[in-house]
Amino acid sequence: MAIKDSELILNPDGSIYHLNLKPENISNTIIFVGDQDRVEKVTKHFDTIEFKTQKREFKTQTGTYKGKRITVISTGIGSDNIDIVLNELDALVNIDLKTRQPKPLKTCLNIIRIGTSGSLQEDIPVDSFLMSKYALDINGMMHSYKIDSITNTDIEDAFISHTNWHQNKARPIVIKNSEVLQAKFESNSIHEGFTATAAGFYGPQGRVLRLPLQDADLNTKINSFNYNGLRVTNLEMETSAIYGLSKLLGHNALSLNAIIANRATGTFSNNLEKTIEAFILYILEKI
């Protein structure tokens, strides 16, 4: 049965609705960045650029780096945007857009996020690099899908107990990365992390301007959580959605962050652009 027009929305030129892309416009190796201005910070290192487009915050460029075809896409901020980007990318490779039928043979994408984040632990300093082994979903978006096959209930239960998680909030979900991609990117120069993904930047990450928090001690509880040596290392807004959707759809995903702030010490990078540039080159070489 064909997927309805209201569910799989295409532009008049046949491209997928939000991303403005056709299947031939993308590689099977895709880099996610949040900020659309960061797309060129990656692709300026490319040998060639064959395709460019932008619609809203979703900016895409495809080209080659040392002979490897790579697509770079800006996702914007938040897990809700990741829901759009990953579902539409999957549709480009795993649904026939003319017949509107899922393809019998599925394509697996390799998705690498180049992000920036704040560390929650004193021993993960500003200007270091971090690779997320696990993601901790504390935003609830993944509960819209059937997730039993990708959860890690023992860690989740321990986290819920340790933080006295409020019953009105969505149950936290712990999702593992792609071991295939982890093996490509790990080295002595990168930390292994457990990344919490919040629903927002201010209250959901424990920041207070004028509004009081439901649990003013939540960040302290998150920071002190330890499950057999597994600590929450950093806090951001995309990784759990990338890991969760990728696993459900059959793609490999790895989220890597340049640590530009340390919430435990209250410090912020004095070499922001230099750190991000070095981080981008590290990832491109590993790809």
Side-chain angles (χ1 to χ4, degrees):
M1 185 175 181
I3 300 171
K4 296 177 182 179
D5 290 359
S6 60
E7 312 307 295
L8 175 62
I9 306 170
L10 302 178
N11 296 311
D13 66 353
S15 62
I16 199 81
Y17 183 60
H18 294 93
L19 300 185
N20 204 35
L21 294 170
K22 297 179 180 179
E24 62 268 24
N25 299 145
I26 64 169
S27 166
N28 285 359
T29 299
I30 300 176
I31 292 174
F32 283 179
V33 296
D35 184 354
Q36 57 194 280
D37 292 337
R38 196 171 290 162
V39 172
E40 274 92 358
K41 292 181 180 179
V42 178
T43 60
K44 72 179 183 181
H45 299 288
F46 283 15
D47 306 312
T48 63
I49 297 177
E50 66 183 69
F51 175 81
K52 296 180 180 182
T53 193
Q54 181 168 3
K55 185 177 181 183
R56 305 185 189 185
E57 62 265 54
F58 307 116
K59 184 174 185 175
T60 303
Q61 294 187 7
T62 297
T64 58
Y65 178 79
K66 295 187 176 180
K68 177 77 172 182
R69 189 169 185 253
I70 302 170
T71 295
V72 185
I73 298 178
S74 62
T75 64
I77 298 173
S79 58
D80 51 345
N81 274 17
I82 298 299
D83 185 59
I84 292 171
V85 174
L86 253 164
N87 275 290
E88 293 196 0
L89 285 174
D90 180 76
L92 289 174
V93 297
N94 288 319
I95 296 173
D96 185 319
L97 299 186
K98 292 182 180 178
T99 66
R100 311 182 73 84
Q101 298 272 7
K103 295 178 180 179
L105 296 176
K106 299 298 184 289
T107 295
C108 174
L109 299 172
N110 290 316
I111 297 165
I112 301 106
R113 178 182 183 242
I114 298 179
T116 55
S117 182
S119 169
L120 298 177
Q121 305 294 341
E122 288 189 18
D123 60 332
I124 300 177
V126 166
D127 298 321
S128 63
F129 303 159
L130 184 139
M131 171 177 62
S132 304
K133 183 174 183 179
Y134 289 95
L136 172 64
D137 186 313
I138 54 173
N139 60 79
M141 193 277 288
M142 287 304 304
H143 282 291
S144 297
Y145 299 95
K146 292 184 178 180
I147 57 172
D148 291 349
S149 64
I150 64 170
T151 60
N152 290 270
T153 54
D154 289 348
I155 308 174
E156 293 160 7
D157 289 343
F159 179 81
I160 290 166
S161 176
H162 177 80
T163 57
N164 192 26
W165 194 253
H166 196 280
Q167 62 181 1
N168 290 343
K169 293 180 178 179
R171 176 185 168 88
I173 311 163
V174 175
I175 311 161
K176 198 175 185 307
N177 67 9
S178 162
E179 293 182 358
V180 172
L181 289 182
Q182 177 175 321
K184 284 179 65 73
F185 287 87
E186 59 189 359
S187 73
N188 292 331
S189 61
I190 192 164
H191 294 270
E192 191 176 277
F194 181 22
T195 299
T197 301
F201 184 78
Y202 288 97
Q205 293 191 35
R207 291 182 173 92
V208 177
L209 299 184
R210 291 203 312 116
L211 298 176
L213 302 177
Q214 178 272 321
D215 183 351
D217 298 321
L218 182 58
N219 271 19
T220 301
K221 296 174 188 176
I222 292 174
N223 295 2
S224 61
F225 175 69
N226 190 312
Y227 180 83
N228 296 332
L230 185 64
R231 305 172 303 160
V232 181
T233 52
N234 61 314
L235 185 58
E236 45 79 273
M237 297 172 62
E238 291 83 26
T239 295
S240 70
I242 294 170
Y243 282 9
L245 290 170
S246 293
K247 281 201 176 292
L248 292 177
L249 292 166
H251 304 299
N252 295 319
L254 187 68
S255 178
L256 302 111
N257 278 271
I259 299 300
I260 62 170
N262 188 299
R263 299 287 295 279
T265 61
T267 54
F268 191 85
S269 175
N270 292 319
N271 302 293
L272 181 60
E273 293 304 319
K274 184 179 178 181
T275 296
I276 292 172
E277 176 75 1
F279 189 47
I280 289 168
L281 287 171
Y282 175 88
I283 291 170
L284 287 175
E285 288 299 313
K286 291 290 185 178
I287 289 175

